[in-house]
Amino acid sequence: GIQVEQSPPDLILQEGANSTLRCNFSDSVNNLQWFHQNPWGQLINLFYIPSGTKQNGRLSATTVATERYSLLYISSSQTTDSGVYFCAVIPSGSRLTFGEGTQLTVNP
Amino acid sequence: GAVVSQHPSRVICKSGTSVKIECRSLDFQATTMFWYRQFPKQSLMLMATSNEGSKATYEQGVEKDKFLINHASLTLSTLTVTSAHPEDSSFYICSARVEAGPRPYEQYFGPGTRLTVT
């Protein structure tokens, strides 16, 4: 099956810093989503981005489908950004496959 | 965005009893729903795919007689953990998929149910 690798596995930032999270996948995909799992376990949809670039406030994402990777940018990080960020993909005719996540800690 | 609710959020039960978890899509119809299990510090593991009006499809290694799934309507799927044991203690998360529209196959997740079996 498809492999989804996220890096880095852990990231510690000071409030106000910027960061880039990466997601590599091993096969072509029909769908790619980024999620933020908050400390209470809720997965929050950040982006639906099978290709191209999108921005939502301090967050933006870029997927280069031909090169099989996606990037999530977080600018001016806040303590509320802490949590686990998951990348998940749907290969053709299949179901959502998750990466292992990036644990982000933003310190005040 | 679409909203998925899950109930209960937390449940403690005794070993040998059964527990039912409900998952509802509140503002859209979901032909397909999914059930995941998550252990601490790990990613989500798909347990089964629930299709409205038909039998669920279970992932390899998931006991279908222990984890009963019913998808009786386009807005409700239930997971029943039968004869629960301490090793079934985990965080269970449901998800519903949007089938059409501008973002086909986008999935939305419920807030999760933390099950503790004593």
Tab-separated table of all heavy atoms in Angstrom, chain A residues 30-31 33 35 37 39-43 45 47-48 54 86 90 94-96 98-101 103, chain B residues 34 36 38 41-44 46 49 59 91 93 97 102-111 114:
chain	number	residue	atom	x	y	z
A	30	ASN	N	-5.591	10.854	-5.025
A	30	ASN	CA	-6.757	11.613	-5.454
A	30	ASN	C	-7.116	12.712	-4.463
A	30	ASN	O	-7.849	13.637	-4.791
A	30	ASN	CB	-7.969	10.687	-5.599
A	30	ASN	CG	-7.829	9.771	-6.800
A	30	ASN	OD1	-7.060	10.057	-7.712
A	30	ASN	ND2	-8.563	8.676	-6.791
A	31	ASN	N	-6.652	12.570	-3.250
A	31	ASN	CA	-7.033	13.499	-2.204
A	31	ASN	C	-5.892	13.588	-1.207
A	31	ASN	O	-5.218	12.580	-0.934
A	31	ASN	CB	-8.310	13.007	-1.498
A	31	ASN	CG	-8.713	13.893	-0.322
A	31	ASN	OD1	-8.247	15.018	-0.169
A	31	ASN	ND2	-9.566	13.373	0.534
A	33	GLN	N	-5.297	15.578	2.633
A	33	GLN	CA	-5.830	16.455	3.673
A	33	GLN	C	-4.789	16.641	4.771
A	33	GLN	O	-4.039	15.717	5.094
A	33	GLN	CB	-7.111	15.891	4.288
A	33	GLN	CG	-8.304	15.870	3.341
A	33	GLN	CD	-9.574	15.378	4.005
A	33	GLN	OE1	-10.090	14.313	3.679
A	33	GLN	NE2	-10.076	16.158	4.947
A	35	PHE	N	-4.616	17.749	8.837
A	35	PHE	CA	-5.436	17.860	10.043
A	35	PHE	C	-4.575	18.335	11.210
A	35	PHE	O	-3.379	18.053	11.271
A	35	PHE	CB	-6.033	16.507	10.436
A	35	PHE	CG	-6.930	15.881	9.419
A	35	PHE	CD1	-6.431	14.984	8.489
A	35	PHE	CD2	-8.284	16.159	9.397
A	35	PHE	CE1	-7.250	14.384	7.553
A	35	PHE	CE2	-9.127	15.571	8.469
A	35	PHE	CZ	-8.605	14.677	7.541
A	37	GLN	N	-4.700	17.716	15.258
A	37	GLN	CA	-5.357	17.057	16.380
A	37	GLN	C	-5.033	17.831	17.646
A	37	GLN	O	-3.855	17.910	18.043
A	37	GLN	CB	-4.927	15.599	16.518
A	37	GLN	CG	-5.738	14.855	17.583
A	37	GLN	CD	-5.490	13.352	17.570
A	37	GLN	OE1	-4.380	12.893	17.325
A	37	GLN	NE2	-6.532	12.573	17.830
A	39	PRO	N	-5.190	18.948	21.769
A	39	PRO	CA	-4.883	18.136	22.963
A	39	PRO	C	-6.061	17.314	23.467
A	39	PRO	O	-5.868	16.369	24.236
A	39	PRO	CB	-4.451	19.189	23.994
A	39	PRO	CG	-3.921	20.302	23.158
A	39	PRO	CD	-4.784	20.339	21.927
A	40	TRP	N	-7.265	17.620	23.064
A	40	TRP	CA	-8.436	16.852	23.486
A	40	TRP	C	-8.771	15.726	22.500
A	40	TRP	O	-9.732	15.008	22.686
A	40	TRP	CB	-9.646	17.780	23.648
A	40	TRP	CG	-9.397	18.780	24.719
A	40	TRP	CD1	-9.658	18.664	26.044
A	40	TRP	CD2	-8.784	20.064	24.543
A	40	TRP	NE1	-9.255	19.795	26.708
A	40	TRP	CE2	-8.718	20.673	25.831
A	40	TRP	CE3	-8.294	20.772	23.435
A	40	TRP	CZ2	-8.172	21.943	26.028
A	40	TRP	CZ3	-7.755	22.033	23.641
A	40	TRP	CH2	-7.696	22.604	24.919
A	41	GLY	N	-7.993	15.613	21.444
A	41	GLY	CA	-8.159	14.515	20.502
A	41	GLY	C	-8.974	14.818	19.264
A	41	GLY	O	-9.057	13.984	18.364
A	42	GLN	N	-9.571	15.981	19.196
A	42	GLN	CA	-10.379	16.329	18.028
A	42	GLN	C	-9.504	16.613	16.815
A	42	GLN	O	-8.560	17.402	16.911
A	42	GLN	CB	-11.238	17.564	18.330
A	42	GLN	CG	-11.931	18.172	17.118
A	42	GLN	CD	-13.174	17.416	16.706
A	42	GLN	OE1	-14.154	17.359	17.438
A	42	GLN	NE2	-13.152	16.837	15.506
A	43	LEU	N	-9.815	15.978	15.696
A	43	LEU	CA	-9.124	16.281	14.440
A	43	LEU	C	-9.862	17.413	13.735
A	43	LEU	O	-11.064	17.326	13.482
A	43	LEU	CB	-9.076	15.069	13.517
A	43	LEU	CG	-7.862	14.168	13.683
A	43	LEU	CD1	-8.109	13.180	14.811
A	43	LEU	CD2	-7.545	13.432	12.407
A	45	ASN	N	-10.062	19.802	10.421
A	45	ASN	CA	-9.653	19.888	9.015
A	45	ASN	C	-8.949	21.221	8.763
A	45	ASN	O	-9.522	22.287	9.007
A	45	ASN	CB	-10.876	19.776	8.108
A	45	ASN	CG	-11.461	18.387	8.084
A	45	ASN	OD1	-11.535	17.718	9.106
A	45	ASN	ND2	-11.873	17.950	6.902
A	47	PHE	N	-6.737	21.666	5.633
A	47	PHE	CA	-6.728	21.848	4.187
A	47	PHE	C	-7.127	20.557	3.479
A	47	PHE	O	-6.780	19.465	3.914
A	47	PHE	CB	-5.321	22.248	3.686
A	47	PHE	CG	-4.877	23.605	4.118
A	47	PHE	CD1	-3.987	23.759	5.166
A	47	PHE	CD2	-5.342	24.748	3.472
A	47	PHE	CE1	-3.577	25.015	5.579
A	47	PHE	CE2	-4.935	26.002	3.871
A	47	PHE	CZ	-4.058	26.144	4.928
A	48	TYR	N	-7.858	20.759	2.401
A	48	TYR	CA	-8.128	19.714	1.409
A	48	TYR	C	-7.340	20.160	0.188
A	48	TYR	O	-7.699	21.146	-0.448
A	48	TYR	CB	-9.619	19.640	1.123
A	48	TYR	CG	-10.024	18.726	-0.008
A	48	TYR	CD1	-10.409	17.421	0.233
A	48	TYR	CD2	-10.054	19.179	-1.329
A	48	TYR	CE1	-10.808	16.586	-0.797
A	48	TYR	CE2	-10.444	18.363	-2.367
A	48	TYR	CZ	-10.835	17.065	-2.095
A	48	TYR	OH	-11.227	16.238	-3.116
A	54	LYS	N	-2.881	26.658	-1.056
A	54	LYS	CA	-4.003	27.307	-0.389
A	54	LYS	C	-3.497	28.012	0.850
A	54	LYS	O	-2.498	27.606	1.453
A	54	LYS	CB	-5.086	26.295	-0.004
A	54	LYS	CG	-5.806	25.670	-1.180
A	54	LYS	CD	-6.945	24.767	-0.709
A	54	LYS	CE	-7.683	24.193	-1.907
A	54	LYS	NZ	-8.775	23.269	-1.497
A	86	PHE	N	-1.412	15.949	11.193
A	86	PHE	CA	-1.429	14.756	10.365
A	86	PHE	C	-1.655	15.123	8.905
A	86	PHE	O	-2.484	15.974	8.578
A	86	PHE	CB	-2.559	13.807	10.786
A	86	PHE	CG	-2.314	13.078	12.072
A	86	PHE	CD1	-2.993	13.422	13.225
A	86	PHE	CD2	-1.420	12.017	12.124
A	86	PHE	CE1	-2.791	12.745	14.419
A	86	PHE	CE2	-1.198	11.330	13.309
A	86	PHE	CZ	-1.883	11.704	14.459
A	90	ILE	N	-5.561	9.834	-0.031
A	90	ILE	CA	-6.372	8.764	-0.608
A	90	ILE	C	-5.763	8.399	-1.960
A	90	ILE	O	-5.838	9.197	-2.898
A	90	ILE	CB	-7.834	9.170	-0.805
A	90	ILE	CG1	-8.510	9.443	0.539
A	90	ILE	CG2	-8.592	8.059	-1.531
A	90	ILE	CD1	-10.004	9.726	0.423
A	94	SER	N	-9.072	4.018	-3.137
A	94	SER	CA	-8.784	3.461	-1.811
A	94	SER	C	-9.319	4.399	-0.734
A	94	SER	O	-10.222	5.180	-0.984
A	94	SER	CB	-7.281	3.245	-1.675
A	94	SER	OG	-6.992	2.556	-0.473
A	95	ARG	N	-8.798	4.285	0.435
A	95	ARG	CA	-9.289	5.069	1.566
A	95	ARG	C	-8.166	5.861	2.211
A	95	ARG	O	-6.997	5.646	1.926
A	95	ARG	CB	-9.965	4.159	2.575
A	95	ARG	CG	-9.042	3.091	3.111
A	95	ARG	CD	-9.787	1.783	3.347
A	95	ARG	NE	-8.925	0.801	3.946
A	95	ARG	CZ	-8.073	0.064	3.266
A	95	ARG	NH1	-7.969	0.194	1.974
A	95	ARG	NH2	-7.310	-0.823	3.881
A	96	LEU	N	-8.554	6.760	3.078
A	96	LEU	CA	-7.620	7.711	3.671
A	96	LEU	C	-6.528	6.974	4.449
A	96	LEU	O	-6.812	6.156	5.323
A	96	LEU	CB	-8.388	8.647	4.606
A	96	LEU	CG	-7.844	10.029	4.875
A	96	LEU	CD1	-7.732	10.840	3.591
A	96	LEU	CD2	-8.736	10.751	5.879
A	98	PHE	N	-3.127	7.646	6.778
A	98	PHE	CA	-2.497	8.679	7.582
A	98	PHE	C	-0.990	8.488	7.682
A	98	PHE	O	-0.492	7.357	7.698
A	98	PHE	CB	-3.069	8.656	9.005
A	98	PHE	CG	-4.392	9.329	9.146
A	98	PHE	CD1	-5.563	8.687	8.769
A	98	PHE	CD2	-4.475	10.617	9.640
A	98	PHE	CE1	-6.792	9.313	8.877
A	98	PHE	CE2	-5.694	11.247	9.760
A	98	PHE	CZ	-6.853	10.598	9.379
A	99	GLY	N	-0.294	9.614	7.770
A	99	GLY	CA	1.088	9.571	8.192
A	99	GLY	C	1.151	9.444	9.706
A	99	GLY	O	0.126	9.407	10.392
A	100	GLU	N	2.375	9.408	10.239
A	100	GLU	CA	2.569	9.220	11.670
A	100	GLU	C	2.428	10.513	12.461
A	100	GLU	O	2.378	10.496	13.677
A	100	GLU	CB	3.933	8.593	11.946
A	100	GLU	CG	4.050	7.148	11.472
A	100	GLU	CD	3.022	6.260	12.142
A	100	GLU	OE1	2.929	6.292	13.395
A	100	GLU	OE2	2.300	5.526	11.441
A	101	GLY	N	2.369	11.619	11.740
A	101	GLY	CA	2.129	12.891	12.415
A	101	GLY	C	3.385	13.634	12.816
A	101	GLY	O	4.469	13.044	12.935
A	103	GLN	N	4.432	16.115	15.983
A	103	GLN	CA	4.036	16.668	17.273
A	103	GLN	C	4.654	18.051	17.416
A	103	GLN	O	5.876	18.181	17.494
A	103	GLN	CB	4.517	15.766	18.400
A	103	GLN	CG	4.301	16.351	19.808
A	103	GLN	CD	2.858	16.288	20.247
A	103	GLN	OE1	2.257	15.224	20.311
A	103	GLN	NE2	2.298	17.449	20.571
B	34	PHE	N	-16.450	5.921	8.705
B	34	PHE	CA	-15.279	5.134	9.054
B	34	PHE	C	-15.101	5.134	10.576
B	34	PHE	O	-15.423	6.119	11.245
B	34	PHE	CB	-14.015	5.719	8.409
B	34	PHE	CG	-14.100	5.861	6.917
B	34	PHE	CD1	-14.637	7.006	6.357
B	34	PHE	CD2	-13.632	4.852	6.083
B	34	PHE	CE1	-14.728	7.155	4.979
B	34	PHE	CE2	-13.710	4.989	4.702
B	34	PHE	CZ	-14.258	6.138	4.154
B	36	TYR	N	-12.086	4.531	13.477
B	36	TYR	CA	-10.652	4.451	13.721
B	36	TYR	C	-10.410	4.203	15.207
B	36	TYR	O	-11.227	4.521	16.058
B	36	TYR	CB	-9.953	5.771	13.334
B	36	TYR	CG	-9.996	6.116	11.874
B	36	TYR	CD1	-11.118	6.732	11.317
B	36	TYR	CD2	-8.913	5.850	11.034
B	36	TYR	CE1	-11.159	7.066	9.970
B	36	TYR	CE2	-8.947	6.186	9.689
B	36	TYR	CZ	-10.073	6.786	9.172
B	36	TYR	OH	-10.113	7.124	7.838
B	38	GLN	N	-7.163	4.835	18.047
B	38	GLN	CA	-5.886	5.523	18.217
B	38	GLN	C	-5.314	5.217	19.585
B	38	GLN	O	-5.975	5.450	20.607
B	38	GLN	CB	-6.054	7.044	18.040
B	38	GLN	CG	-4.734	7.791	18.048
B	38	GLN	CD	-4.904	9.286	17.849
B	38	GLN	OE1	-5.898	9.866	18.277
B	38	GLN	NE2	-3.935	9.913	17.201
B	41	LYS	N	0.107	8.473	21.522
B	41	LYS	CA	1.293	8.853	20.757
B	41	LYS	C	1.386	8.152	19.400
B	41	LYS	O	2.474	8.076	18.813
B	41	LYS	CB	2.573	8.545	21.561
B	41	LYS	CG	2.600	9.156	22.941
B	41	LYS	CD	2.789	10.640	22.875
B	41	LYS	CE	2.966	11.217	24.280
B	41	LYS	NZ	3.019	12.679	24.268
B	42	GLN	N	0.292	7.623	18.912
B	42	GLN	CA	0.311	6.953	17.624
B	42	GLN	C	-0.681	7.586	16.653
B	42	GLN	O	-1.507	8.413	17.043
B	42	GLN	CB	-0.010	5.461	17.803
B	42	GLN	CG	1.048	4.687	18.562
B	42	GLN	CD	0.804	3.193	18.545
B	42	GLN	OE1	0.116	2.668	17.666
B	42	GLN	NE2	1.370	2.492	19.505
B	43	SER	N	-0.574	7.162	15.410
B	43	SER	CA	-1.481	7.656	14.385
B	43	SER	C	-2.817	6.926	14.469
B	43	SER	O	-3.002	6.023	15.283
B	43	SER	CB	-0.844	7.457	13.005
B	43	SER	OG	-1.621	8.078	12.004
B	44	LEU	N	-3.737	7.320	13.613
B	44	LEU	CA	-5.046	6.675	13.574
B	44	LEU	C	-4.959	5.372	12.793
B	44	LEU	O	-4.333	5.306	11.730
B	44	LEU	CB	-6.076	7.588	12.898
B	44	LEU	CG	-6.676	8.692	13.742
B	44	LEU	CD1	-5.662	9.802	13.984
B	44	LEU	CD2	-7.926	9.242	13.072
B	46	LEU	N	-7.294	2.579	10.921
B	46	LEU	CA	-8.634	2.305	10.414
B	46	LEU	C	-9.077	0.916	10.861
B	46	LEU	O	-8.362	-0.064	10.669
B	46	LEU	CB	-8.650	2.393	8.880
B	46	LEU	CG	-9.990	2.123	8.208
B	46	LEU	CD1	-11.022	3.180	8.589
B	46	LEU	CD2	-9.820	2.066	6.683
B	49	THR	N	-14.853	0.229	7.530
B	49	THR	CA	-15.592	1.169	6.693
B	49	THR	C	-17.057	0.777	6.759
B	49	THR	O	-17.413	-0.394	6.534
B	49	THR	CB	-15.098	1.108	5.243
B	49	THR	OG1	-13.700	1.431	5.219
B	49	THR	CG2	-15.860	2.093	4.372
B	59	GLU	N	-11.018	-4.057	8.486
B	59	GLU	CA	-9.605	-4.178	8.145
B	59	GLU	C	-9.062	-5.497	8.701
B	59	GLU	O	-9.608	-6.075	9.647
B	59	GLU	CB	-8.828	-2.995	8.711
B	59	GLU	CG	-9.215	-1.671	8.080
B	59	GLU	CD	-8.990	-1.640	6.580
B	59	GLU	OE1	-7.830	-1.849	6.150
B	59	GLU	OE2	-9.968	-1.406	5.837
B	91	PHE	N	-8.880	5.095	22.337
B	91	PHE	CA	-9.591	6.276	21.837
B	91	PHE	C	-10.173	5.900	20.486
B	91	PHE	O	-9.435	5.552	19.553
B	91	PHE	CB	-8.609	7.449	21.727
B	91	PHE	CG	-9.240	8.788	21.472
B	91	PHE	CD1	-10.226	9.282	22.308
B	91	PHE	CD2	-8.821	9.570	20.407
B	91	PHE	CE1	-10.800	10.531	22.095
B	91	PHE	CE2	-9.385	10.827	20.179
B	91	PHE	CZ	-10.378	11.299	21.020
B	93	ILE	N	-12.427	6.927	17.164
B	93	ILE	CA	-12.811	8.122	16.418
B	93	ILE	C	-13.587	7.719	15.180
B	93	ILE	O	-13.170	6.804	14.453
B	93	ILE	CB	-11.575	8.938	15.969
B	93	ILE	CG1	-10.620	9.188	17.146
B	93	ILE	CG2	-12.009	10.265	15.346
B	93	ILE	CD1	-9.304	9.839	16.723
B	97	ARG	N	-17.603	10.834	5.315
B	97	ARG	CA	-17.016	11.306	4.070
B	97	ARG	C	-18.053	12.020	3.207
B	97	ARG	O	-19.177	11.554	3.060
B	97	ARG	CB	-16.441	10.121	3.295
B	97	ARG	CG	-15.670	10.495	2.051
B	97	ARG	CD	-14.898	9.304	1.517
B	97	ARG	NE	-15.729	8.338	0.830
B	97	ARG	CZ	-15.283	7.191	0.355
B	97	ARG	NH1	-14.018	6.870	0.502
B	97	ARG	NH2	-16.097	6.365	-0.270
B	102	PRO	N	-17.549	20.189	-4.369
B	102	PRO	CA	-16.255	20.732	-4.791
B	102	PRO	C	-15.067	20.011	-4.179
B	102	PRO	O	-13.960	20.116	-4.682
B	102	PRO	CB	-16.315	22.182	-4.312
B	102	PRO	CG	-17.295	22.170	-3.190
B	102	PRO	CD	-18.312	21.117	-3.552
B	103	ARG	N	-15.268	19.278	-3.100
B	103	ARG	CA	-14.163	18.575	-2.447
B	103	ARG	C	-14.564	17.126	-2.191
B	103	ARG	O	-14.772	16.709	-1.052
B	103	ARG	CB	-13.785	19.284	-1.150
B	103	ARG	CG	-13.370	20.734	-1.390
B	103	ARG	CD	-12.709	21.365	-0.219
B	103	ARG	NE	-13.631	21.606	0.874
B	103	ARG	CZ	-13.389	22.466	1.850
B	103	ARG	NH1	-12.260	23.144	1.871
B	103	ARG	NH2	-14.256	22.628	2.818
B	104	PRO	N	-14.648	16.352	-3.252
B	104	PRO	CA	-15.106	14.963	-3.098
B	104	PRO	C	-14.150	14.131	-2.254
B	104	PRO	O	-12.939	14.311	-2.311
B	104	PRO	CB	-15.165	14.458	-4.546
B	104	PRO	CG	-14.252	15.354	-5.304
B	104	PRO	CD	-14.317	16.689	-4.628
B	105	TYR	N	-14.739	13.266	-1.466
B	105	TYR	CA	-14.016	12.341	-0.584
B	105	TYR	C	-13.318	13.031	0.573
B	105	TYR	O	-12.482	12.439	1.235
B	105	TYR	CB	-13.028	11.485	-1.373
B	105	TYR	CG	-13.700	10.683	-2.458
B	105	TYR	CD1	-13.437	10.944	-3.796
B	105	TYR	CD2	-14.621	9.697	-2.136
B	105	TYR	CE1	-14.080	10.220	-4.786
B	105	TYR	CE2	-15.265	8.980	-3.125
B	105	TYR	CZ	-14.988	9.243	-4.454
B	105	TYR	OH	-15.630	8.537	-5.435
B	106	GLU	N	-13.669	14.276	0.836
B	106	GLU	CA	-13.125	14.916	2.025
B	106	GLU	C	-13.758	14.271	3.250
B	106	GLU	O	-14.962	14.024	3.296
B	106	GLU	CB	-13.411	16.415	2.029
B	106	GLU	CG	-12.796	17.137	3.225
B	106	GLU	CD	-12.931	18.642	3.120
B	106	GLU	OE1	-13.761	19.124	2.323
B	106	GLU	OE2	-12.204	19.348	3.856
B	107	GLN	N	-12.945	14.002	4.254
B	107	GLN	CA	-13.428	13.363	5.469
B	107	GLN	C	-13.423	14.339	6.635
B	107	GLN	O	-12.498	15.149	6.777
B	107	GLN	CB	-12.575	12.142	5.826
B	107	GLN	CG	-12.934	10.918	5.008
B	107	GLN	CD	-12.216	9.666	5.446
B	107	GLN	OE1	-11.674	8.951	4.622
B	107	GLN	NE2	-12.191	9.357	6.742
B	108	TYR	N	-14.466	14.208	7.458
B	108	TYR	CA	-14.599	14.996	8.683
B	108	TYR	C	-14.682	14.029	9.852
B	108	TYR	O	-15.276	12.953	9.744
B	108	TYR	CB	-15.851	15.885	8.627
B	108	TYR	CG	-15.744	16.970	7.597
B	108	TYR	CD1	-16.099	16.752	6.272
B	108	TYR	CD2	-15.249	18.233	7.941
B	108	TYR	CE1	-15.981	17.753	5.317
B	108	TYR	CE2	-15.138	19.235	6.994
B	108	TYR	CZ	-15.506	18.986	5.683
B	108	TYR	OH	-15.387	19.975	4.741
B	109	PHE	N	-14.098	14.449	10.968
B	109	PHE	CA	-13.955	13.546	12.096
B	109	PHE	C	-14.769	13.999	13.305
B	109	PHE	O	-14.926	15.197	13.566
B	109	PHE	CB	-12.472	13.440	12.481
B	109	PHE	CG	-11.679	12.621	11.496
B	109	PHE	CD1	-11.270	13.167	10.300
B	109	PHE	CD2	-11.379	11.303	11.771
B	109	PHE	CE1	-10.561	12.403	9.373
B	109	PHE	CE2	-10.676	10.520	10.859
B	109	PHE	CZ	-10.261	11.079	9.659
B	110	GLY	N	-15.267	13.002	14.024
B	110	GLY	CA	-15.924	13.268	15.290
B	110	GLY	C	-14.896	13.569	16.357
B	110	GLY	O	-13.688	13.390	16.147
B	111	PRO	N	-15.334	13.999	17.538
B	111	PRO	CA	-14.417	14.379	18.614
B	111	PRO	C	-13.796	13.200	19.346
B	111	PRO	O	-12.915	13.382	20.172
B	111	PRO	CB	-15.294	15.204	19.553
B	111	PRO	CG	-16.668	14.693	19.310
B	111	PRO	CD	-16.725	14.305	17.873
B	114	ARG	N	-13.352	8.163	24.433
B	114	ARG	CA	-12.300	7.488	25.192
B	114	ARG	C	-12.936	6.382	26.001
B	114	ARG	O	-13.737	6.638	26.898
B	114	ARG	CB	-11.570	8.473	26.096
B	114	ARG	CG	-10.281	7.896	26.679
B	114	ARG	CD	-9.347	8.962	27.201
B	114	ARG	NE	-8.978	9.972	26.229
B	114	ARG	CZ	-8.059	9.827	25.286
B	114	ARG	NH1	-7.421	8.678	25.171
B	114	ARG	NH2	-7.783	10.819	24.458
